[in-house]
Amino acid sequence: MRFSTKLIHAGEPEPRIGGALALPIFQTSTFEHAGRSGYHEVKYARLSNTPNHDALGAKLAALEGTEAGLVTASGMAAISAALLATLGAGDHLIAHESLYGGTHGLLTQDLAALGVEVTFVDANRPETFAAALRPKTRAFYVEAITNPLLQVVDLDAVVAFARAHGLTTFIDSTLATPVNFRPAERGFDLVLHSATKYLNGHTDVVAGAVAGSAAGVANVKKKLDHFGGSLDPHACFLLARGLKTLELRVERQNRTALAVAEHLSRHAAVAEVFYPGLPGHAGYARAEAWFRGAGGMLSFRPAGGAGAAERFLAALRLATSAPSLGGPETLVTRPVTTSHAGVPADERARLGIGDDLVRVSIGLEAVEDLLEDFERALG
Ligand SMILES: *Cc1c(COP(=O)(O)O)cnc(C)c1O
């Protein structure tokens, strides 16, 4: 099956249950005992093994090109279960320095409290990786496209280094989606998603996903079973429904984001645009080589500084000021007031996240209407 067909048919139960084309919601906590023995084999919704979980896991694996897939109660449930399944007291992790805020907090606060140490590196500078290595280094963690500057780090160098030193590689591929990029094909071990974003794509579910080898995903599932971050069957149904249009949505968001990025990059009231589909962006060559499209996220700096950024947000009529991303509605934020409010100002400055930065999650509106809205607000 091609990717488009997998979105519709992969993982669906055969034969169809009761002939139903849309897999019904198995709103049951428990199932009649069927002679299974181990704790993790008992059929119980927290153990993520209802027909809704099974179908979604199989579809995700087909989409990412991995042996297995698993859905979780949130992106953070996927990330925390995957990290906790791999790292224990005394272990060490190498991570790219720009990460989703929740992940950064998990690594620096919660994993640190459990005795797991982390060293941050610039994953664009592979020559610095060796200095971060320790005898107890177990894993390397990166994101496929970073937020809010949309970096595409040297993913091939990360995989090569990890292989040479026996490290497990994690990649949060939320912003890329399997439409644009399938990290397992480039050698990553565990692919993580906030399915809250593009995979569901309708701003109405919080969910997460893990894809990887059968053994790797089973290992994560054991942690998830114990920590309790299973996805509710009704949310599974909504996620399965949202997933079917993933390619249509992401293709449109790729096109609209590129058009908006190009427009902004020519605009006199805009100082700088960050979008990996623009030739001037540091990640352009990698995005061209590895991705089908550069995604639906972009950010920019208006020419007039933080005040202009604030006035721009206030003047928008169509685009909404809100956190999160990947839905049908275009959303804008100033990362310094939302996602990166907790990052100290000097660290933000070092990472290049200025007070004037505006982040945009492109939705599914007509590009002409978005351009008009942006044009008016920039004016
Ligand atoms: C939103 C997000 C997460 C966290 O996902 P939740 O579903 O909110 O738990 C993790 N990584 C990235 C890149 C995200 O955008």
Side-chain angles (χ1 to χ4, degrees):
M1 284 192 273
R2 273 84 176 166
F3 188 85
S4 316
T5 312
K6 287 180 187 172
L7 277 169
I8 312 304
H9 293 289
E12 300 292 325
E14 278 181 51
R16 293 192 169 99
I17 299 171
L21 279 163
L23 180 58
I25 308 170
F26 283 77
Q27 196 70 49
T28 176
S29 57
T30 191
F31 291 77
E32 185 177 358
H33 187 63
R36 293 175 187 83
S37 50
Y39 172 76
H40 297 277
E41 282 77 50
V42 166
K43 292 271 257 177
Y44 182 60
R46 180 174 42 78
L47 304 179
S48 301
N49 55 16
T50 73
N52 297 104
H53 294 96
D54 291 347
L56 264 178
K59 194 183 293 280
L60 276 162
L63 298 177
E64 289 289 359
T66 58
E67 286 174 355
L70 173 69
V71 287
T72 63
S74 67
M76 286 312 300
I79 293 165
S80 58
L83 287 170
L84 289 164
T86 311
L87 300 160
D91 287 342
H92 174 250
L93 169 76
I94 301 175
H96 179 55
E97 61 192 3
S98 171
L99 294 176
Y100 175 74
T103 307
H104 188 268
L106 176 74
L107 294 180
T108 54
Q109 296 159 32
D110 308 291
L111 286 185
L114 296 174
V116 177
E117 289 188 60
V118 57
T119 300
F120 292 103
V121 296
D122 178 352
N124 283 305
R125 297 177 59 215
E127 69 278 11
T128 64
F129 296 173
L133 199 66
R134 298 188 197 169
K136 296 276 273 175
T137 307
R138 299 280 179 245
F140 204 133
Y141 190 103
V142 295
E143 295 178 359
I145 304 178
T146 70
N147 171 26
L149 296 175
L150 297 318
Q151 295 173 314
V152 183
V153 300
D154 196 343
L155 302 175
D156 280 356
V158 169
V159 168
F161 180 83
R163 290 220 168 134
H165 299 284
L167 315 181
T168 301
T169 42
F170 295 96
I171 184 164
D172 179 336
S173 199
T174 300
L175 268 63
T177 83
V179 174
N180 286 331
F181 181 51
R182 290 181 285 281
E185 292 174 357
R186 292 212 83 77
F188 280 90
D189 296 314
L190 281 172
V191 183
L192 309 169
H193 283 279
S194 169
T196 310
K197 317 293 169 54
Y198 293 99
L199 296 186
N200 178 61
H202 289 73
T203 329
D204 53 11
V205 163
V206 170
V210 181
S213 68
V217 172
N219 198 30
V220 177
K221 185 182 168 305
K222 284 196 169 174
K223 276 293 169 222
L224 192 77
D225 289 352
H226 287 163
F227 282 87
S230 60
L231 190 63
D232 168 81
H234 184 249
C236 286
F237 170 83
L238 288 171
L239 175 54
R241 175 181 154 127
L243 258 181
K244 292 190 181 173
T245 55
L246 177 70
E247 189 180 39
L248 295 172
R249 290 184 281 104
V250 171
E251 279 178 346
R252 166 74 86 87
Q253 284 159 322
N254 285 339
R255 278 201 306 278
T256 305
L258 178 61
V260 172
E262 283 174 343
H263 182 86
L264 292 176
S265 68
R266 289 189 298 265
H267 203 288
V270 173
E272 192 174 7
V273 181
F274 303 90
Y275 183 65
L278 290 181
H281 189 273
Y284 177 73
R286 290 175 191 148
E288 274 280 297
W290 300 335
F291 300 170
R292 182 167 139 197
M297 300 291 296
L298 60 98
S299 55
F300 72 97
R301 294 174 42 236
E310 203 46 56
R311 289 194 297 280
F312 173 77
L313 258 65
L316 288 166
R317 289 188 202 157
L318 190 57
T320 307
S321 176
S324 199
L325 57 109
E329 309 86 5
T330 294
L331 304 180
V332 292
T333 60
R334 278 179 66 210
V336 291
T337 64
T338 53
S339 58
H340 289 71
V343 181
D346 54 337
E347 177 65 3
R348 281 201 306 255
R350 198 183 67 75
L351 295 171
I353 302 165
D355 291 355
D356 55 352
L357 193 71
V358 176
R359 188 193 81 175
V360 184
S361 169
I362 293 290
L364 297 172
E365 302 90 343
V367 63
E368 296 84 352
D369 289 329
L370 285 175
L371 289 174
E372 276 172 32
D373 194 35
F374 278 43
E375 194 58 39
R376 181 178 48 232
L378 282 168

